[in-house]
Amino acid sequence: MAVTVELERLGSVDEARADWERLATASGCPFATVEWTETWLEHAAGPYVPHLFLARDPGGRAVAIVPLVIARGRYVRKARFLGFRAANQVGPICAPEDAELGDEALRRVLAATRRDWDVFLAENLPGTGWDARLGAKAIRTKGAPLVRGPWKSWDDYLASRTRNLRSELRRKERRLQEQGLTHTTVGTTEELEPALDALFDLHRGRWGSEASPFFSGLETFHRAFARAAFARGWVRLHVLAIEGRPVAANYSLRFGDTEWSYQLGRDLRLEHASVGLIGCAIAVREAFAEGATEFRLGPGEQPYKLRLANGNSTLDTVGIAHGLRGRASLMAARRREGAA
């Protein structure tokens, strides 16, 4: 039996706020939330215009939200998922058991808006096979390492890792503590802004001119979202300091039983002490002590993530184009990622 949905075009988030909140919670993804959506639209949307859709099954039940944005450039009109690149994961907002309905909703939305864009780029869709599911071109597939739990104790987790990692984490944390290392976790609104200051300073200090335009370049957005997320109890922001000087910071979002690592910063002067690895390990340790069952380390298979991880997930980036300009734009995107 064919999967069918009926679409409703939304003029604003408010038109489906209750359904949006329910579906975001069911999806398990903090980047699907009303808070992320409204803050991004206010502070980071730029020239992109929202095209928001609610999908219902034949019984009238709201089963998916498809939040796209479209920008009319000088030559090419581009459609993307709302929050693109700033979000660790995008896609139709739905419960896992309604994934087929979410896919159909996305296909229907792309058909309904086809005259409004030349190229559709979908970055960091969860899982694989999106090219076949959407009739799209594959652009990139990347890993997103994670730590699956729960763990009864930190020692139980460490026992599952290599002897080298166990030794390094214990030895280097102890040496940092001998130098006066302190670890604080943001617990009040008054503590949030100074901790964010430390995170942004460390990020820029590490990367300089190569700092992420979707993090440091969207500082107003990220600060506003962090305030909204903190009010909902989602923020987990750890700061390591020596003699009062921040040397590492790890910013994660706790959503349901899963913690999503979002950004970390570290002092290059302590590169030899692996302060970034220690900071991330402390965030993992605290998450499982608090009852998390999974810690997502974020997109990309950097060596420190692979050392901590005991599992991996996959993120797909795909594109659809029509017309000469759209196809040229998609071809350029595929070349940049080595897919063409």
Side-chain angles (χ1 to χ4, degrees):
M1 184 177 177
V3 175
T4 61
V5 295
E6 293 295 326
L7 294 181
E8 296 178 19
R9 188 157 192 164
L10 304 174
S12 68
V13 173
D14 273 337
E15 292 182 13
R17 182 174 294 272
D19 284 324
W20 199 310
E21 291 178 342
R22 177 180 59 80
L23 290 168
T25 298
S27 77
C29 179
F31 309 105
T33 61
V34 166
E35 288 78 5
W36 176 270
T37 299
E38 292 185 324
T39 309
W40 192 88
L41 288 174
E42 180 179 356
H43 295 286
Y48 282 87
V49 177
H51 289 62
L52 312 176
F53 292 84
L54 173 69
R56 297 185 184 275
D57 67 13
R61 178 175 62 102
V63 294
I65 298 275
V66 179
L68 299 188
V69 291
I70 300 176
R72 181 182 293 272
R74 184 175 180 181
Y75 299 109
V76 181
R77 299 166 301 167
K78 293 183 178 180
R80 284 182 154 116
F81 272 99
L82 188 151
F84 67 95
R85 291 192 185 170
N88 283 8
Q89 181 177 299
V90 300
I93 301 169
C94 61
E97 60 268 25
D98 288 325
E100 288 188 41
L101 294 172
D103 291 355
E104 176 60 15
L106 176 55
R107 288 190 289 267
R108 294 281 303 278
V109 167
L110 293 175
T113 60
R114 188 179 186 279
R115 293 182 179 273
D116 298 323
W117 50 268
D118 302 303
V119 62
F120 166 65
L121 297 175
E123 297 136 325
N124 291 349
L125 293 161
T128 58
W130 284 92
D131 50 346
R133 287 148 69 180
L134 298 179
K137 293 287 188 181
I139 296 177
R140 179 189 64 222
T141 297
K142 71 166 85 171
L146 53 86
V147 183
R148 290 192 176 96
W151 296 93
K152 291 181 179 179
S153 70
W154 182 241
D155 285 340
D156 285 339
Y157 163 73
L158 288 179
S160 73
R161 304 293 83 213
T162 65
R163 178 183 297 181
N164 178 271
L165 180 62
R166 289 197 299 273
S167 174
E168 181 178 355
L169 290 177
R170 288 166 172 159
R171 182 182 70 257
K172 289 186 173 179
E173 184 175 1
R174 183 173 62 253
R175 287 180 179 174
L176 286 167
Q177 288 170 341
E178 291 169 353
Q179 297 175 46
L181 181 76
T182 60
H183 163 227
T184 58
T185 304
V186 169
T188 67
T189 54
E190 291 75 20
E191 295 169 347
L192 180 61
E193 290 300 332
L196 289 170
D197 291 342
L199 176 65
F200 280 103
D201 288 346
L202 289 165
H203 178 72
R204 292 192 181 96
R206 166 64 180 85
W207 294 106
S209 62
E210 297 181 11
S212 168
F214 292 95
F215 183 65
S216 61
L218 294 177
E219 183 172 343
T220 300
F221 158 66
H222 287 296
R223 287 182 181 272
F225 174 70
R227 290 191 292 270
F230 184 83
R232 294 298 302 271
W234 301 336
V235 169
R236 300 294 184 272
L237 181 48
H238 305 274
V239 179
L240 305 187
I242 295 178
E243 296 181 350
R245 174 173 62 89
V247 295
N250 193 290
Y251 171 36
S252 302
L253 297 167
R254 177 69 179 276
F255 200 64
D257 293 331
T258 299
E259 189 156 326
W260 300 66
S261 182
Y262 188 72
Q263 187 61 261
L264 61 84
R266 67 188 189 278
D267 190 333
L268 280 181
R269 289 171 293 183
L270 288 173
E271 191 80 359
H272 64 283
S274 302
V275 69
L277 173 65
I278 298 301
C280 189
I282 287 173
V284 174
R285 183 171 71 200
E286 295 292 311
F288 285 107
E290 197 180 83
T293 60
E294 187 173 271
F295 191 101
R296 291 181 171 262
L297 291 157
E301 295 179 306
Q302 293 89 339
Y304 80 93
K305 294 181 184 178
L306 296 175
R307 296 183 73 191
L308 293 168
N310 62 3
N312 209 346
S313 58
T314 304
L315 297 167
D316 260 2
T317 294
V318 301
I320 300 173
H322 52 80
L324 290 176
R325 291 176 176 178
R327 287 194 288 272
S329 179
L330 178 56
M331 184 177 294
R334 298 186 77 214
R335 283 176 176 164
R336 285 194 297 270
E337 298 295 337

